[in-house]
Amino acid sequence: MEVSELLSRARNWDKQAIAKLISLIEDGVELPISVERRSHIIGITGPPGSGKSTLIYALVRKLPANKRIAVITLDPSSPFTGGSFMGNRIRMQELTTKPNVYIRSMATRGNRGGLNYAAVASLDLLEYAGADYIIIETVGAGQTDTDVKYVADTILVLVPPLSGDEIQALKSGIMEIGDIYLVSKSDTQASESVYNDLMAMVDIMREIKGDEWKPMVLRVSGLYGYGVDELIRVLDERFAELRSRGKLNETLKTRRLLEWRLYAYELLNKAIERSKELSERVANGELTPAKAALALLGNEMPRLDHVAVAVKNLDEAAEKFRKLGLRVSGPITIESQGVRVMMVHLGNTRIELLEPLGPETTVAKFIERRGEGIHHIALEVDDLGKFMEMARNAGLTLTGEPTRGAEGVVTFIHPKSLNGMLLELVEHVRES
Ligand code: CO
Protein backbone atom coordinates (compact mmCIF):
# COMPACT_ATOMS: atom_id res chain seq x y z
CA MET A 1 0.00 0.00 0.00
CA GLU A 2 1.19 3.50 -0.83
CA VAL A 3 2.30 5.80 1.97
CA SER A 4 -0.36 8.35 1.00
CA GLU A 5 -3.07 5.68 1.26
CA LEU A 6 -1.74 4.56 4.66
CA LEU A 7 -1.69 8.17 5.83
CA SER A 8 -5.29 8.81 4.90
CA ARG A 9 -6.29 5.62 6.73
CA ALA A 10 -4.22 6.59 9.75
CA ARG A 11 -6.08 9.91 9.74
CA ASN A 12 -9.19 7.87 10.57
CA TRP A 13 -7.41 6.06 13.39
CA ASP A 14 -6.91 2.89 11.40
CA LYS A 15 -4.60 1.13 13.84
CA GLN A 16 -3.20 -1.24 11.25
CA ALA A 17 -2.20 1.67 9.03
CA ILE A 18 -0.64 3.45 12.01
CA ALA A 19 1.35 0.33 12.87
CA LYS A 20 2.62 -0.01 9.30
CA LEU A 21 3.62 3.64 9.17
CA ILE A 22 5.51 3.40 12.45
CA SER A 23 7.39 0.40 11.04
CA LEU A 24 8.34 2.57 8.07
CA ILE A 25 9.57 5.26 10.47
CA GLU A 26 11.64 2.61 12.24
CA ASP A 27 13.20 1.79 8.87
CA GLY A 28 14.26 5.43 8.57
CA VAL A 29 11.49 6.65 6.24
CA GLU A 30 10.47 10.27 6.78
CA LEU A 31 6.71 10.65 6.40
CA PRO A 32 5.33 13.71 4.57
CA ILE A 33 3.42 15.14 7.52
CA SER A 34 3.17 18.70 8.73
CA VAL A 35 2.44 18.73 12.41
CA GLU A 36 -0.36 20.63 14.02
CA ARG A 37 -0.36 20.32 17.75
CA ARG A 38 -3.48 18.66 19.11
CA SER A 39 -2.44 15.77 21.37
CA HIS A 40 -1.63 16.02 25.04
CA ILE A 41 1.76 14.32 25.13
CA ILE A 42 2.34 12.86 28.55
CA GLY A 43 5.73 11.45 29.51
CA ILE A 44 5.78 8.93 32.31
CA THR A 45 9.09 8.31 33.97
CA GLY A 46 10.32 6.85 37.21
CA PRO A 47 12.72 4.24 38.48
CA PRO A 48 12.25 0.59 37.52
CA GLY A 49 9.63 -1.01 39.70
CA SER A 50 7.75 2.24 40.37
CA GLY A 51 4.67 0.84 38.65
CA LYS A 52 4.64 2.77 35.37
CA SER A 53 2.91 0.04 33.38
CA THR A 54 0.33 -0.45 36.09
CA LEU A 55 -0.41 3.27 36.17
CA ILE A 56 -0.74 3.45 32.38
CA TYR A 57 -3.12 0.52 32.48
CA ALA A 58 -5.28 2.26 35.08
CA LEU A 59 -5.07 5.63 33.30
CA VAL A 60 -6.00 4.31 29.86
CA ARG A 61 -8.92 2.33 31.30
CA LYS A 62 -10.35 5.42 32.94
CA LEU A 63 -9.90 7.88 30.06
CA PRO A 64 -13.14 8.40 28.08
CA ALA A 65 -13.87 5.83 25.36
CA ASN A 66 -14.52 8.60 22.81
CA LYS A 67 -10.93 9.84 23.13
CA ARG A 68 -8.12 8.51 20.96
CA ILE A 69 -5.27 7.27 23.10
CA ALA A 70 -1.82 6.18 21.98
CA VAL A 71 0.75 4.60 24.25
CA ILE A 72 4.42 4.29 23.34
CA THR A 73 6.56 2.20 25.64
CA LEU A 74 10.31 2.09 25.38
CA ASP A 75 12.19 -1.04 26.28
CA PRO A 76 15.88 -1.21 26.79
CA SER A 77 17.11 -3.56 24.13
CA SER A 78 19.93 -4.87 26.26
CA PRO A 79 19.97 -8.66 26.26
CA PHE A 80 20.29 -8.59 30.05
CA THR A 81 17.11 -6.66 30.81
CA GLY A 82 15.13 -7.09 27.60
CA GLY A 83 12.92 -9.88 28.85
CA SER A 84 12.22 -8.81 32.40
CA PHE A 85 9.69 -6.11 31.54
CA MET A 86 7.43 -8.41 29.61
CA GLY A 87 5.37 -9.54 32.59
CA ASN A 88 4.03 -6.02 33.06
CA ARG A 89 3.05 -5.83 29.43
CA ILE A 90 0.58 -8.67 29.46
CA ARG A 91 -2.16 -6.64 31.10
CA MET A 92 -1.49 -3.74 28.75
CA GLN A 93 -2.06 -6.04 25.80
CA GLU A 94 -5.64 -6.37 26.99
CA LEU A 95 -6.11 -2.65 26.31
CA THR A 96 -5.23 -3.01 22.63
CA THR A 97 -8.59 -4.66 22.00
CA LYS A 98 -10.24 -1.28 22.67
CA PRO A 99 -10.77 0.48 19.32
CA ASN A 100 -9.71 3.87 20.67
CA VAL A 101 -6.39 2.65 22.11
CA TYR A 102 -3.19 2.10 20.14
CA ILE A 103 -0.14 0.68 21.92
CA ARG A 104 3.34 0.32 20.54
CA SER A 105 6.45 -1.00 22.21
CA MET A 106 9.80 0.13 20.87
CA ALA A 107 13.40 -0.75 21.60
CA THR A 108 15.60 2.18 22.64
CA ARG A 109 18.62 0.60 20.97
CA GLY A 110 20.74 1.93 23.77
CA ASN A 111 20.21 5.64 23.13
CA ARG A 112 21.40 7.47 26.20
CA GLY A 113 18.60 9.99 26.60
CA GLY A 114 15.97 7.29 26.84
CA LEU A 115 14.17 8.07 23.57
CA ASN A 116 14.96 7.06 20.01
CA TYR A 117 14.32 8.67 16.66
CA ALA A 118 11.39 6.45 15.73
CA ALA A 119 9.57 7.18 18.98
CA VAL A 120 9.86 10.95 18.50
CA ALA A 121 8.97 10.85 14.80
CA SER A 122 5.96 8.67 15.63
CA LEU A 123 4.57 11.55 17.68
CA ASP A 124 4.12 13.48 14.43
CA LEU A 125 2.15 10.59 13.00
CA LEU A 126 0.03 10.05 16.11
CA GLU A 127 -0.91 13.73 16.27
CA TYR A 128 -1.74 13.57 12.58
CA ALA A 129 -3.91 10.53 13.31
CA GLY A 130 -5.85 12.62 15.80
CA ALA A 131 -4.67 11.22 19.12
CA ASP A 132 -6.12 13.12 22.08
CA TYR A 133 -3.59 11.64 24.48
CA ILE A 134 -0.16 10.25 23.70
CA ILE A 135 1.46 8.54 26.65
CA ILE A 136 5.17 7.81 26.48
CA GLU A 137 6.60 5.45 29.00
CA THR A 138 10.36 5.76 29.20
CA VAL A 139 12.87 3.19 30.35
CA GLY A 140 13.28 4.74 33.75
CA ALA A 141 17.04 4.58 33.71
CA GLY A 142 17.49 7.43 36.16
CA GLN A 143 19.62 10.42 35.32
CA THR A 144 20.04 9.76 31.62
CA ASP A 145 16.36 9.31 31.00
CA THR A 146 15.57 12.98 30.41
CA ASP A 147 15.01 13.43 26.66
CA VAL A 148 11.32 13.08 27.35
CA LYS A 149 11.25 16.70 28.57
CA TYR A 150 11.81 17.90 24.98
CA VAL A 151 8.68 16.21 23.67
CA ALA A 152 6.20 15.94 26.52
CA ASP A 153 3.70 18.65 27.43
CA THR A 154 3.44 17.10 30.86
CA ILE A 155 5.89 14.90 32.68
CA LEU A 156 4.70 12.54 35.34
CA VAL A 157 7.40 11.27 37.65
CA LEU A 158 6.37 8.14 39.43
CA VAL A 159 8.02 7.66 42.79
CA PRO A 160 7.64 4.38 44.63
CA PRO A 161 7.95 4.16 48.40
CA LEU A 162 11.67 4.79 48.87
CA SER A 163 14.09 5.52 51.64
CA GLY A 164 15.30 9.08 52.19
CA ASP A 165 18.66 8.25 50.61
CA GLU A 166 17.03 6.80 47.54
CA ILE A 167 14.92 9.94 47.14
CA GLN A 168 18.09 11.99 47.46
CA ALA A 169 19.71 9.99 44.64
CA LEU A 170 16.68 10.47 42.40
CA LYS A 171 16.66 14.22 42.92
CA SER A 172 19.74 14.80 40.82
CA GLY A 173 18.18 13.28 37.70
CA ILE A 174 14.59 12.77 36.71
CA MET A 175 13.29 14.45 39.84
CA GLU A 176 13.98 17.89 38.41
CA ILE A 177 11.88 17.50 35.30
CA GLY A 178 8.50 16.59 36.73
CA ASP A 179 5.30 18.60 36.37
CA ILE A 180 3.35 16.15 38.48
CA TYR A 181 4.93 13.80 40.99
CA LEU A 182 3.01 10.69 41.73
CA VAL A 183 3.57 8.70 44.86
CA SER A 184 2.85 5.23 43.60
CA LYS A 185 1.66 2.26 45.61
CA SER A 186 -0.04 4.70 47.93
CA ASP A 187 -1.71 1.85 49.76
CA THR A 188 1.54 1.13 51.55
CA GLN A 189 2.80 2.61 54.82
CA ALA A 190 6.17 3.68 53.41
CA SER A 191 4.49 5.96 50.87
CA GLU A 192 3.54 8.49 53.58
CA SER A 193 7.12 9.65 54.20
CA VAL A 194 7.83 9.75 50.47
CA TYR A 195 4.80 11.99 50.03
CA ASN A 196 6.07 14.37 52.72
CA ASP A 197 9.57 14.41 51.22
CA LEU A 198 8.20 15.22 47.78
CA MET A 199 5.95 17.98 49.13
CA ALA A 200 8.97 19.62 50.73
CA MET A 201 10.93 19.34 47.47
CA VAL A 202 8.09 20.76 45.39
CA ASP A 203 7.79 23.72 47.76
CA ILE A 204 11.40 24.62 47.04
CA MET A 205 10.98 24.05 43.29
CA ARG A 206 7.96 26.33 43.21
CA GLU A 207 10.10 29.17 44.49
CA ILE A 208 12.95 28.49 42.06
CA LYS A 209 10.90 27.83 38.96
CA GLY A 210 8.63 30.86 39.06
CA ASP A 211 6.75 29.23 36.20
CA GLU A 212 3.00 29.65 35.79
CA TRP A 213 2.54 25.97 36.45
CA LYS A 214 3.50 24.86 39.92
CA PRO A 215 4.68 21.27 40.18
CA MET A 216 2.43 19.19 42.36
CA VAL A 217 2.30 15.89 44.20
CA LEU A 218 -0.51 13.35 43.98
CA ARG A 219 -1.01 9.93 45.48
CA VAL A 220 -1.96 7.07 43.22
CA SER A 221 -2.24 3.36 43.26
CA GLY A 222 -2.43 2.00 39.75
CA LEU A 223 -3.29 -1.40 41.08
CA TYR A 224 -6.57 -0.23 42.61
CA GLY A 225 -7.14 2.78 40.37
CA TYR A 226 -6.91 5.01 43.45
CA GLY A 227 -6.15 8.68 42.63
CA VAL A 228 -6.42 8.15 38.87
CA ASP A 229 -9.65 10.17 38.41
CA GLU A 230 -8.01 13.11 40.16
CA LEU A 231 -4.91 12.68 37.97
CA ILE A 232 -7.03 12.83 34.79
CA ARG A 233 -8.77 15.97 36.02
CA VAL A 234 -5.40 17.65 36.72
CA LEU A 235 -3.99 16.53 33.37
CA ASP A 236 -6.92 17.99 31.42
CA GLU A 237 -6.75 21.21 33.40
CA ARG A 238 -3.05 21.53 32.70
CA PHE A 239 -3.46 20.82 28.99
CA ALA A 240 -6.14 23.51 28.66
CA GLU A 241 -3.81 25.94 30.40
CA LEU A 242 -0.83 25.07 28.18
CA ARG A 243 -2.96 25.46 25.08
CA SER A 244 -4.36 28.82 26.15
CA ARG A 245 -0.84 30.11 26.82
CA GLY A 246 0.43 28.91 23.42
CA LYS A 247 2.91 26.54 25.06
CA LEU A 248 2.19 23.58 22.79
CA ASN A 249 4.22 24.99 19.93
CA GLU A 250 7.20 25.57 22.20
CA THR A 251 7.32 21.84 22.82
CA LEU A 252 7.04 21.27 19.08
CA LYS A 253 10.23 23.27 18.54
CA THR A 254 12.25 21.32 21.08
CA ARG A 255 10.75 18.11 19.70
CA ARG A 256 11.89 18.90 16.14
CA LEU A 257 15.38 19.59 17.43
CA LEU A 258 15.42 16.33 19.36
CA GLU A 259 14.15 14.40 16.34
CA TRP A 260 16.94 15.90 14.25
CA ARG A 261 19.55 15.05 16.86
CA LEU A 262 18.34 11.48 17.29
CA TYR A 263 18.22 10.88 13.52
CA ALA A 264 21.78 12.17 13.23
CA TYR A 265 22.86 9.85 16.06
CA GLU A 266 21.38 6.87 14.27
CA LEU A 267 23.08 7.78 10.99
CA LEU A 268 26.32 8.22 12.87
CA ASN A 269 26.02 4.88 14.62
CA LYS A 270 25.34 3.15 11.32
CA ALA A 271 28.27 4.93 9.70
CA ILE A 272 30.56 3.81 12.53
CA GLU A 273 29.40 0.22 12.19
CA ARG A 274 30.07 0.31 8.44
CA SER A 275 33.50 1.91 8.76
CA LYS A 276 35.55 -1.23 9.15
CA GLU A 277 38.56 0.30 7.43
CA LEU A 278 38.54 3.46 9.52
CA SER A 279 38.14 1.55 12.76
CA GLU A 280 41.07 -0.68 11.87
CA ARG A 281 43.24 2.35 11.19
CA VAL A 282 42.21 3.89 14.51
CA ALA A 283 42.90 0.64 16.37
CA ASN A 284 46.32 0.33 14.74
CA GLY A 285 47.23 3.90 15.58
CA GLU A 286 47.49 4.90 11.91
CA LEU A 287 44.85 7.57 12.35
CA THR A 288 44.11 9.58 15.47
CA PRO A 289 40.60 9.15 16.90
CA ALA A 290 39.84 12.85 16.28
CA LYS A 291 40.92 12.74 12.63
CA ALA A 292 38.97 9.53 12.13
CA ALA A 293 35.86 11.20 13.54
CA LEU A 294 36.21 14.04 11.02
CA ALA A 295 36.72 11.50 8.25
CA LEU A 296 33.54 9.71 9.30
CA LEU A 297 31.60 12.96 8.86
CA GLY A 298 33.20 13.56 5.47
CA ASN A 299 35.33 16.38 6.85
CA GLU A 300 38.70 14.77 6.41
CA MET A 301 41.35 17.38 5.64
CA PRO A 302 42.16 18.62 3.13
CA ARG A 303 38.66 18.72 1.66
CA LEU A 304 37.15 20.38 -1.39
CA ASP A 305 35.83 23.64 0.03
CA HIS A 306 34.45 25.07 -3.19
CA VAL A 307 34.76 25.31 -6.95
CA ALA A 308 34.72 28.92 -8.13
CA VAL A 309 33.08 29.99 -11.38
CA ALA A 310 33.62 33.40 -12.96
CA VAL A 311 30.33 34.86 -14.23
CA LYS A 312 29.34 38.10 -15.93
CA ASN A 313 26.00 38.46 -14.16
CA LEU A 314 25.89 37.16 -10.62
CA ASP A 315 22.15 37.47 -10.01
CA GLU A 316 21.27 35.72 -13.26
CA ALA A 317 23.65 32.86 -12.47
CA ALA A 318 22.32 32.54 -8.90
CA GLU A 319 18.77 32.36 -10.20
CA LYS A 320 19.61 29.33 -12.36
CA PHE A 321 20.96 27.44 -9.37
CA ARG A 322 17.91 28.40 -7.28
CA LYS A 323 15.71 26.93 -9.98
CA LEU A 324 17.68 23.69 -9.58
CA GLY A 325 16.47 23.62 -5.99
CA LEU A 326 19.81 24.62 -4.49
CA ARG A 327 20.28 27.04 -1.62
CA VAL A 328 22.18 30.16 -2.61
CA SER A 329 23.62 32.60 -0.04
CA GLY A 330 25.11 36.07 -0.38
CA PRO A 331 26.02 38.25 -2.11
CA ILE A 332 29.02 39.63 -0.32
CA THR A 333 31.47 42.09 -1.82
CA ILE A 334 35.21 41.54 -1.35
CA GLU A 335 36.87 44.79 -2.43
CA SER A 336 40.42 43.48 -2.00
CA GLN A 337 39.81 40.72 -4.56
CA GLY A 338 37.61 42.88 -6.79
CA VAL A 339 34.64 40.50 -6.70
CA ARG A 340 31.03 40.13 -5.65
CA VAL A 341 30.43 36.57 -4.43
CA MET A 342 27.49 34.21 -3.94
CA MET A 343 27.69 30.64 -2.66
CA VAL A 344 25.68 27.68 -3.96
CA HIS A 345 25.43 25.06 -1.22
CA LEU A 346 25.88 21.38 -2.03
CA GLY A 347 26.14 18.31 0.19
CA ASN A 348 29.61 18.73 1.58
CA THR A 349 30.97 21.48 -0.62
CA ARG A 350 29.94 24.62 -2.52
CA ILE A 351 30.08 26.42 -5.83
CA GLU A 352 31.40 29.97 -5.53
CA LEU A 353 30.03 32.41 -8.10
CA LEU A 354 32.37 35.33 -8.81
CA GLU A 355 31.33 38.52 -10.56
CA PRO A 356 34.06 41.11 -11.27
CA LEU A 357 33.59 44.51 -9.62
CA GLY A 358 35.21 46.39 -12.53
CA PRO A 359 37.04 45.89 -15.86
CA GLU A 360 40.49 46.14 -14.28
CA THR A 361 40.00 43.27 -11.82
CA THR A 362 41.68 39.89 -12.29
CA VAL A 363 38.36 38.10 -12.67
CA ALA A 364 37.25 40.56 -15.40
CA LYS A 365 40.50 39.92 -17.23
CA PHE A 366 40.03 36.17 -16.81
CA ILE A 367 36.57 36.37 -18.43
CA GLU A 368 37.91 38.59 -21.20
CA ARG A 369 40.70 36.13 -21.96
CA ARG A 370 38.93 32.77 -21.50
CA GLY A 371 35.24 33.47 -21.16
CA GLU A 372 33.01 32.49 -18.24
CA GLY A 373 33.85 29.23 -16.49
CA ILE A 374 35.75 27.53 -13.71
CA HIS A 375 38.19 30.03 -12.22
CA HIS A 376 39.73 28.15 -9.30
CA ILE A 377 39.33 25.22 -6.94
CA ALA A 378 39.63 25.70 -3.18
CA LEU A 379 40.90 23.22 -0.65
CA GLU A 380 40.25 23.58 3.03
CA VAL A 381 43.33 22.67 5.06
CA ASP A 382 43.63 22.45 8.83
CA ASP A 383 47.06 24.07 9.02
CA LEU A 384 47.70 26.59 6.25
CA GLY A 385 51.29 27.33 7.28
CA LYS A 386 52.23 23.66 7.18
CA PHE A 387 50.48 23.14 3.85
CA MET A 388 52.25 26.15 2.32
CA GLU A 389 55.56 24.70 3.41
CA MET A 390 54.76 21.39 1.71
CA ALA A 391 53.76 23.32 -1.43
CA ARG A 392 57.08 25.20 -1.44
CA ASN A 393 59.01 21.96 -0.90
CA ALA A 394 57.13 20.47 -3.86
CA GLY A 395 58.40 23.32 -6.02
CA LEU A 396 55.03 25.04 -6.33
CA THR A 397 54.70 28.81 -6.51
CA LEU A 398 52.51 30.61 -4.00
CA THR A 399 50.91 33.86 -5.16
CA GLY A 400 51.77 35.60 -1.92
CA GLU A 401 51.42 35.66 1.84
CA PRO A 402 48.04 34.57 3.27
CA THR A 403 45.35 37.25 3.52
CA ARG A 404 42.28 37.42 5.67
CA GLY A 405 39.20 36.51 3.57
CA ALA A 406 35.53 36.40 4.45
CA GLU A 407 35.73 32.93 5.98
CA GLY A 408 39.32 32.56 7.04
CA VAL A 409 42.91 32.86 5.92
CA VAL A 410 43.54 32.37 2.22
CA THR A 411 46.35 32.03 -0.26
CA PHE A 412 46.73 30.61 -3.81
CA ILE A 413 49.05 28.28 -5.70
CA HIS A 414 49.92 29.76 -9.07
CA PRO A 415 48.45 27.84 -12.09
CA LYS A 416 51.77 27.93 -13.96
CA SER A 417 53.26 25.67 -11.31
CA LEU A 418 50.24 23.36 -11.02
CA ASN A 419 49.14 22.17 -14.45
CA GLY A 420 47.10 25.24 -15.21
CA MET A 421 45.02 24.99 -12.06
CA LEU A 422 44.60 27.98 -9.75
CA LEU A 423 44.37 26.32 -6.33
CA GLU A 424 43.06 28.32 -3.41
CA LEU A 425 44.06 27.20 0.08
CA VAL A 426 41.82 28.21 2.93
CA GLU A 427 42.03 27.65 6.65
CA HIS A 428 38.66 28.46 8.15
CA VAL A 429 38.49 30.39 11.36
CA ARG A 430 37.00 28.05 13.94
CA GLU A 431 35.37 29.36 17.03
CA SER A 432 37.23 27.89 19.93
CO1 CO B 1 37.42 30.93 -3.70
Side-chain angles (χ1 to χ4, degrees):
M1 205 182 297
E2 294 273 326
V3 168
S4 58
E5 169 73 16
L6 286 170
L7 279 172
S8 68
R9 290 191 183 200
R11 194 82 157 161
N12 295 312
W13 201 252
D14 177 332
K15 292 202 277 181
Q16 255 185 326
I18 293 172
K20 276 186 187 154
L21 288 165
I22 291 183
S23 296
L24 287 178
I25 294 171
E26 287 181 321
D27 290 339
V29 175
E30 189 174 39
L31 301 178
I33 297 172
S34 65
V35 181
E36 264 174 56
R37 288 304 321 272
R38 61 155 292 144
S39 315
H40 188 179
I41 301 178
I42 301 163
I44 300 191
T45 187
S50 53
K52 287 175 296 213
S53 300
T54 317
L55 175 73
I56 292 171
Y57 176 76
L59 191 59
V60 171
R61 269 195 356 162
K62 288 210 172 187
L63 284 168
N66 63 351
K67 298 289 186 187
R68 291 173 175 178
I69 303 156
V71 179
I72 295 177
T73 65
L74 287 146
D75 283 321
S77 43
S78 147
F80 302 106
T81 56
S84 65
F85 287 67
M86 288 317 290
N88 296 332
R89 303 269 177 258
I90 293 167
R91 255 186 320 173
M92 251 207 271
Q93 285 306 313
E94 174 196 322
L95 297 171
T96 59
T97 56
K98 290 171 162 247
N100 63 324
V101 179
Y102 175 76
I103 298 181
R104 178 82 170 210
S105 179
M106 290 176 163
T108 55
R109 301 197 191 109
N111 271 319
R112 299 199 50 187
L115 294 182
N116 63 24
Y117 164 73
V120 178
S122 297
L123 299 175
D124 298 354
L125 173 67
L126 293 167
E127 288 214 81
Y128 180 82
D132 296 291
Y133 300 90
I134 303 174
I135 299 168
I136 309 173
E137 178 198 358
T138 69
V139 183
Q143 303 192 3
T144 58
D145 194 15
T146 53
D147 270 354
V148 71
K149 69 171 180 261
Y150 300 115
V151 303
D153 302 303
T154 302
I155 294 177
L156 307 182
V157 177
L158 211 54
V159 187
L162 296 169
S163 70
D165 285 351
E166 286 170 314
I167 289 269
Q168 214 55 41
L170 264 184
K171 274 181 189 166
S172 53
I174 51 176
M175 287 301 262
E176 286 161 10
I177 65 174
D179 300 300
I180 301 169
Y181 294 88
L182 301 169
V183 182
S184 67
K185 303 177 183 173
S186 277
D187 44 313
T188 60
Q189 273 285 311
S191 70
E192 191 56 32
S193 70
V194 172
Y195 180 81
N196 293 334
D197 265 11
L198 284 173
M199 284 299 279
M201 183 193 78
V202 160
D203 273 344
I204 298 167
M205 282 170 68
R206 284 179 176 186
E207 281 169 34
I208 300 168
K209 275 196 167 180
D211 198 48
E212 290 91 337
W213 174 267
K214 307 298 180 197
M216 57 192 296
V217 186
L218 297 175
R219 302 173 209 247
V220 289
S221 168
L223 213 48
Y224 305 109
Y226 165 78
V228 176
D229 290 314
E230 169 70 356
L231 174 62
I232 291 172
R233 192 190 61 74
V234 171
L235 284 171
D236 288 345
E237 197 180 284
R238 174 173 162 87
F239 189 62
E241 191 192 315
L242 289 173
R243 166 164 276 172
S244 72
R245 287 196 283 129
K247 290 281 182 186
L248 300 186
N249 283 324
E250 280 180 24
T251 324
L252 183 57
K253 282 181 192 167
T254 55
R255 173 167 130 201
R256 282 181 183 135
L257 290 173
L258 179 66
E259 191 176 324
W260 172 57
R261 183 154 57 84
L262 292 175
Y263 196 82
Y265 282 164
E266 286 187 14
L267 289 181
L268 196 59
N269 281 330
K270 280 181 197 154
I272 291 171
E273 277 163 28
R274 275 198 310 267
S275 306
K276 299 266 184 293
E277 193 212 321
L278 268 181
S279 52
E280 261 173 45
R281 289 168 66 200
V282 175
N284 295 337
E286 275 174 58
L287 201 60
T288 69
K291 287 213 167 81
L294 287 172
L296 190 72
L297 293 169
N299 288 327
E300 196 170 16
M301 296 290 179
R303 55 173 280 277
L304 180 64
D305 189 84
H306 61 266
V307 174
V309 180
V311 302
K312 289 178 184 164
N313 186 320
L314 189 62
D315 299 307
E316 237 175 64
E319 195 50 35
K320 288 178 199 162
F321 286 103
R322 282 203 188 92
K323 283 181 181 156
L324 292 172
L326 301 173
R327 187 168 69 85
V328 183
S329 64
I332 57 165
T333 299
I334 306 173
E335 297 282 351
S336 63
Q337 290 170 29
V339 285
R340 206 159 70 96
V341 181
M342 287 176 102
M343 285 291 187
V344 181
H345 296 265
L346 308 170
N348 190 29
T349 190
R350 299 171 296 175
I351 298 169
E352 181 182 59
L353 303 172
L354 302 172
E355 181 194 68
L357 284 177
E360 292 308 309
T361 61
T362 54
V363 173
K365 286 175 183 162
F366 173 90
I367 293 175
E368 205 179 288
R369 220 168 46 240
R370 312 201 6 201
E372 290 182 309
I374 292 178
H375 179 265
H376 66 265
I377 287 174
L379 296 187
E380 184 192 357
V381 298
D382 49 11
D383 186 338
L384 185 57
K386 203 169 139 196
F387 203 88
M388 286 169 69
E389 200 183 309
M390 286 196 293
R392 283 194 200 98
N393 291 341
L396 306 178
T397 312
L398 294 158
T399 57
E401 284 307 305
T403 55
R404 190 70 188 248
E407 298 175 323
V409 194
V410 168
T411 191
F412 289 87
I413 293 176
H414 200 282
K416 275 191 181 142
S417 68
L418 192 62
N419 308 82
M421 188 200 317
L422 177 60
L423 191 66
E424 179 182 353
L425 304 173
V426 55
E427 182 185 330
H428 285 304
V429 181
R430 306 248 176 243
E431 279 146 54
S432 52

